[in-house]
Amino acid sequence: MTDSNNSRWVDYVIFGLSIFLIFCLIFESYIELPNLVAWLGRWHPVVLHFPIVLLLIAVFLGLTGKTIPKLLLTIATIAALITAISGFFLGTETSTKGDLLFWHQWLGGGTAILAVIWYWLHASDLGGKIYTKALQVALAIIIGFTGHYGGMVTHGEEFLALPTEKRQEEIPENPLIYKDIVARILDESCVNCHNPNKQKGELLMTSLSQLLKGGESGATIIPGNSEESELIQRLHLPVSDEKHMPPEGEKNLTENEIQILERWIALGASDTLRFSHLDNDEPLAALIEKFKKPDELRTWAELPAVADTTIARLSSDYLTIKRLAGNVDALSINMYKPPEYHSDLVTKLKSIAQNIIEMDVSGLPISQVEMGQIAAFENLEWLEIDGTPITDAETDTLKVLSKLRTLKIYDTQIGDNTLSVIRNMGDLEQIYLWKTEVTEEALQQLRIANPSLQINTGIDPEIQASFAKKDSVSKN
């Protein structure tokens, strides 16, 4: 009698949940959930795997002619109903549903309803009939399609597609800043959550007009004002902040990408601005040139391994060594003048010579000895030797640094002979030269010989701001 009563209550629960699910799907546009109920929908990604596994086990047993335990099918059916209902709750957070979310939701509901039908057939001793077998096959197929659409909603339309060789379209020589640069950055990290199929926060980021329109929090970008633009504010929030963009699990933007967005917005957020429209000293030009380079992480993957213990052993109060990203073996070196300076502060880095990508020895009393060691850092891309006593005699060693892209050498005694060395450094992108002995005539010849090289010969407000942090540290 007790077993019969328990069975009856289970039937009532399944029947009730089935009616509630159908009601939700049909009258979705008229339903507004209380906050607590809507919050329950966020458990959908947590519980959805449970019924999938149970149903597939039951399908396998049924199609292979084995006995399906009633308890297994009962739990699988109830779990499928709860998962479909919680998915509906989660879907109410999206004001505008695209095709992917629509089909995922209805296929998920269909999976639960088919499980209910199978449960009743099994309870009626019809589990061995041919139409029950067909239902089991259909259920397995629908589970697959439901998961496929769910994966595309969460991770993009190509997430569960067959693997193909992905070739990203090359950036044109004279790109449109929005179409060829900004949109590409947003596609990589933002559009997964802000597209017609998953319009999080009522925000679409697939066109400039939609960015300007904004979402439920207001304007996403304010042309001419990057600091007040919510997009930039959220990008700069700590990763642990729930309002940080992109959310945890998505690809974060690099510092270079964030700076590109900031400058593009500051310049008016135009969709007609081209690279050729930018002045040579416009910071956005250098940022885009860096963006067009091959992926740095892929390049750095070829560097020799360097252990954390080695970094710790070489570091000191006057020598900071950091990895440039995550667990990569590309290193950044920052040096400060100790009370008693000796050249071995630089020369002792010989063991990690191939790993040094960025180096700052500005303000140190370096000589030919240190410059000779720096010349051995063959992968160096960024070098700051400003405020040092070097002359043309020492800078001749720099000609072997074929990968150097940025050279800060201002406030030194270098002259025109150094520019002869710089002229032959093909990868050099920018150089800082104010307060030196270089003549205007030599500078003009360098501009003609290297028209793409950015030559900074004075401190403007933007450059001064970028060095504010550096200037605050005394190296004397």
Side-chain angles (χ1 to χ4, degrees):
M1 185 71 176
T2 302
D3 290 343
S4 177
N5 287 337
N6 289 339
S7 178
R8 188 175 303 155
W9 277 109
V10 170
D11 291 346
Y12 289 157
V13 169
I14 291 176
F15 179 75
L17 290 174
S18 302
I19 296 301
F20 182 66
L21 173 61
I22 294 171
F23 175 85
C24 289
L25 293 173
I26 294 176
F27 298 102
E28 175 186 8
S29 58
Y30 301 97
I31 297 175
E32 186 171 342
L33 299 176
N35 290 336
L36 180 59
V37 177
W39 172 82
L40 292 175
R42 299 190 179 185
W43 288 86
H44 174 73
V46 178
V47 301
L48 66 86
H49 303 94
F50 188 56
I52 291 174
V53 172
L54 295 182
L55 285 173
L56 290 177
I57 290 174
V59 168
F60 173 78
L61 293 175
L63 293 178
T64 55
K66 295 183 173 58
T67 301
I68 303 173
K70 183 178 180 181
L71 181 61
L72 171 66
L73 191 55
T74 300
I75 295 174
T77 301
I78 294 175
L81 286 165
I82 292 174
T83 300
I85 292 170
S86 64
F88 165 79
F89 289 168
L90 182 61
T92 59
E93 294 187 3
T94 303
S95 57
T96 304
K97 295 182 180 179
D99 290 341
L100 294 181
L101 184 55
F102 172 83
W103 282 110
H104 175 63
Q105 184 172 294
W106 276 90
L107 285 169
T111 298
I113 297 302
L114 282 181
V116 171
I117 295 173
W118 183 13
Y119 172 82
W120 291 114
L121 290 173
H122 188 270
S124 303
D125 295 327
L126 299 174
K129 300 295 183 181
I130 186 65
Y131 46 77
T132 305
K133 300 288 186 183
L135 182 146
Q136 293 166 0
V137 172
L139 186 59
I141 293 173
I142 291 180
I143 288 174
F145 276 104
T146 304
H148 178 66
Y149 277 97
M152 290 192 293
V153 167
T154 305
H155 302 286
E157 294 193 35
E158 297 183 359
F159 179 66
L160 291 176
L162 291 174
T164 57
E165 185 178 355
K166 292 182 71 174
R167 291 189 177 181
Q168 197 170 35
E169 191 175 328
E170 286 190 11
I171 298 174
E173 189 67 27
N174 183 26
L176 279 165
I177 308 301
Y178 172 73
K179 176 178 176 290
D180 299 314
I181 307 295
V182 172
R184 184 178 298 220
I185 293 171
L186 298 178
D187 283 345
E188 284 286 321
S189 300
C190 305
V191 171
N192 273 348
C193 293
H194 301 283
N195 59 73
N197 294 305
K198 189 180 182 183
Q199 197 169 328
K200 190 173 182 179
E202 300 182 20
L203 172 63
L204 287 172
M205 300 182 73
T206 49
S207 73
L208 179 56
S209 62
Q210 292 158 348
L211 282 172
L212 294 171
K213 180 182 177 181
E216 62 183 14
S217 300
T220 306
I221 60 173
I222 302 175
N225 190 344
S226 58
E227 291 184 359
E228 296 298 324
S229 296
E230 184 167 352
L231 172 63
I232 303 302
Q233 291 177 347
R234 293 207 177 201
L235 287 172
H236 283 299
L237 287 174
V239 177
S240 58
D241 194 307
E242 64 178 12
K243 292 185 177 181
H244 172 80
M245 287 183 59
E248 187 176 357
E250 298 294 338
K251 177 181 177 290
N252 278 303
L253 278 71
T254 66
E255 187 61 33
N256 187 68
E257 290 171 337
I258 294 174
Q259 290 178 13
I260 287 175
L261 296 180
E262 287 178 329
R263 284 304 302 164
W264 171 70
I265 294 172
L267 293 175
S270 168
D271 59 352
T272 59
L273 180 67
R274 283 192 178 274
F275 182 77
S276 60
H277 297 157
L278 304 175
D279 295 333
N280 287 337
D281 58 353
E282 166 53 51
L284 182 58
L287 294 169
I288 290 174
E289 286 290 357
K290 183 177 180 181
F291 182 79
K292 292 165 67 175
K293 295 290 183 182
D295 181 40
E296 290 176 329
L297 291 178
R298 187 170 52 200
T299 303
W300 295 341
E302 301 174 0
L303 297 174
V306 56
D308 289 336
T309 53
T310 301
I311 293 176
R313 176 173 55 81
L314 294 173
S315 299
S316 70
D317 291 341
Y318 306 100
L319 172 57
T320 302
I321 306 176
K322 294 182 179 179
R323 297 183 188 273
L324 284 173
N327 294 319
V328 301
D329 293 304
L331 303 179
S332 172
I333 308 293
N334 206 326
M335 295 184 173
Y336 303 90
K337 183 181 177 182
E340 295 184 12
Y341 174 79
H342 193 275
S343 61
D344 65 1
L345 187 66
V346 176
T347 57
K348 72 177 183 179
L349 299 174
K350 184 177 181 180
S351 62
I352 56 171
Q354 294 183 62
N355 300 89
I356 299 175
I357 305 299
E358 296 182 359
M359 187 168 196
D360 182 359
V361 295
S362 54
L364 297 184
I366 59 175
S367 64
Q368 187 70 45
V369 174
E370 292 92 324
M371 290 298 291
Q373 181 60 67
I374 291 173
F377 301 152
E378 59 187 72
N379 293 313
L380 200 61
E381 299 177 11
W382 182 294
L383 177 61
E384 298 186 39
I385 49 178
D386 44 274
T388 63
I390 62 169
T391 64
D392 290 340
E394 288 79 24
T395 56
D396 185 63
T397 59
L398 298 177
K399 60 188 178 184
V400 299
L401 296 176
S402 60
K403 297 181 181 180
L404 195 64
R405 296 195 303 217
T406 298
L407 176 61
K408 295 181 179 178
I409 197 170
Y410 61 89
D411 194 16
T412 62
Q413 299 176 33
I414 64 165
D416 294 350
N417 288 338
T418 293
L419 297 195
S420 300
V421 175
I422 291 170
R423 189 179 297 119
N424 297 317
M425 299 175 72
D427 278 4
L428 196 64
E429 298 172 357
Q430 50 188 343
I431 184 170
Y432 297 81
L433 285 170
W434 64 85
K435 294 178 69 174
T436 64
E437 303 299 320
V438 174
T439 64
E440 184 58 39
E441 181 182 357
L443 280 173
Q444 188 59 30
Q445 292 176 357
L446 180 61
R447 290 188 179 99
I448 295 172
N450 302 64
S452 62
L453 177 63
Q454 294 185 46
I455 304 172
N456 297 278
T457 57
I459 301 180
D460 60 31
E462 289 181 347
I463 295 175
Q464 191 171 24
S466 70
F467 288 103
K469 183 177 180 181
K470 188 71 179 176
D471 293 339
S472 66
V473 180
S474 173
K475 294 194 172 185
N476 297 316

